[in-house]
Amino acid sequence: MSKLLDEVKRAGVFYIATAEGDTPHVRPFGAIAEIHKGAEIIKL
């Protein structure tokens, strides 16, 4: 998982694909959330 987080941090912005009904959407996203023993850490 560390390699994945490092790559996403290096890229800065990544895209998330979602669907609302029959309409797909691709949105830019720039935050990473890690869960460590119940604590949430947000990295921007």
Side-chain angles (χ1 to χ4, degrees):
M1 186 62 108
S2 177
K3 288 181 183 180
L4 174 63
L5 291 175
D6 290 342
E7 185 62 26
V8 171
K9 284 190 289 186
R10 186 190 67 74
V13 174
F14 54 98
Y15 296 85
I16 295 179
T18 61
E20 293 179 15
D22 292 336
T23 308
H25 296 278
V26 179
R27 298 177 173 95
F29 203 73
I32 305 168
E34 286 184 83
I35 306 298
H36 290 282
K37 297 181 182 177
E40 187 173 326
I41 301 169
I42 304 294
K43 296 182 180 182
L44 300 176

